[in-house]
């Protein structure tokens, strides 16, 4: 076999190995992005009409996210925000639309204290998606219902669902970082248990002695997070 033929064969083999390695690298990157962004990955693919544009955007989100100076909440502030959430939830009884609007503002306040940008919904969503991609769909749904409520097009049940959606992200923003929390025997941290999607959330019903005018569920109603 001539030297020229051997060189050609070697080049073909190297090119084939490089192609296989590149394909494996792209597949690994896709798996990583899917795992990290969750539903946001599929949303980006739909928006960009394919994986190439979607993954380019998600990688850009990661780069911009690294420039943020994020910080954890101290325990005192965390509890103060939880108390504020309870007050917002109780307000739902008499003013569901106002309670949903207030829930949106409270989530934004917590985002700001954590170090996230707080202007422009899509900008907020883009930064949140890097670490909260699997919960971000709740935020989007809550925001959508809030917009419909402002136009008078949201039912009380819609508003109740909005509260559930906002709470999903709210609790995750307040949660203690996993690495700082000792897992239980199932390998689940307390904050992971608190923000599990199947957690039941109670939206208060009418106060004792008040008529149930249909705006809220009964006291014993429970809603499972979507």
């Amino acid at each position: 076999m001539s030297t020229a033929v051997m060189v050609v064969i070697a080049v073909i083999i190297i090119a084939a190995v490089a192609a296989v390695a590149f394909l494996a690298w792209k597949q690994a990157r896709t798996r990583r992005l899917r795992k990290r962004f969750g539903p946001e990955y599929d949303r980006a693919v739909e928006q960009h009409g394919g994986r190439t544009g979607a993954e380019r955007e998600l990688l850009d989100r990661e780069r911009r996210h690294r420039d943020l100076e994020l910080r954890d909440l101290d325990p005192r502030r965390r509890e103060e925000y939880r108390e504020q959430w309870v007050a917002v939830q109780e307000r739902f009884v008499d003013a569901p639309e106002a309670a949903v609007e207030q829930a949106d503002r409270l989530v934004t306040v917590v985002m700001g204290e954590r170090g996230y940008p707080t202007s422009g919904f899509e900008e907020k969503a883009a930064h949140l998606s890097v670490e909260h991609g699997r919960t971000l769909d709740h935020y989007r749904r809550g925001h959508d219902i809030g917009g419909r409520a402002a136009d008078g097009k949201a039912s009380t049940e819609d508003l109740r669902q909005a509260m559930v959606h906002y709470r999903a992200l709210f609790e995750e923003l307040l949660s203690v970082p996993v690495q700082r929390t000792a897992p239980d025997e199932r390998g689940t941290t307390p904050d992971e248990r608190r923000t599990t999607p199947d957690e039941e959330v109670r939206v208060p019903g009418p106060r004792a002695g008040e008529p149930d005018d249909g705006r809220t569920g009964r006291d014993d109603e429970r809603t499972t997070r979507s």
Side-chain angles (χ1 to χ4, degrees), residues 37-52:
F37 287 93
E40 276 294 294
Y41 182 94
D42 295 327
R43 180 184 178 86
V45 169
E46 182 178 350
Q47 285 184 329
H48 290 273
R51 291 190 306 180
T52 301

Side-chain angles (χ1 to χ4, degrees), residues 148-196:
R148 287 191 279 122
D151 296 331
K153 298 179 180 179
S155 67
T156 302
E157 175 61 21
D158 292 334
L159 295 169
R160 188 175 62 83
Q161 287 296 323
M163 294 293 292
V164 174
H165 290 314
Y166 277 124
R167 179 170 178 173
L169 178 60
F170 177 79
E171 286 287 357
E172 194 165 289
L173 287 170
L174 261 61
S175 63
V176 178
V178 174
Q179 65 270 23
R180 299 184 186 178
T181 311
D184 62 13
E185 66 276 6
R186 295 172 298 176
T188 307
T189 66
D191 285 280
E192 285 176 324
R193 291 195 297 274
R194 183 175 59 248
T195 59
T196 298

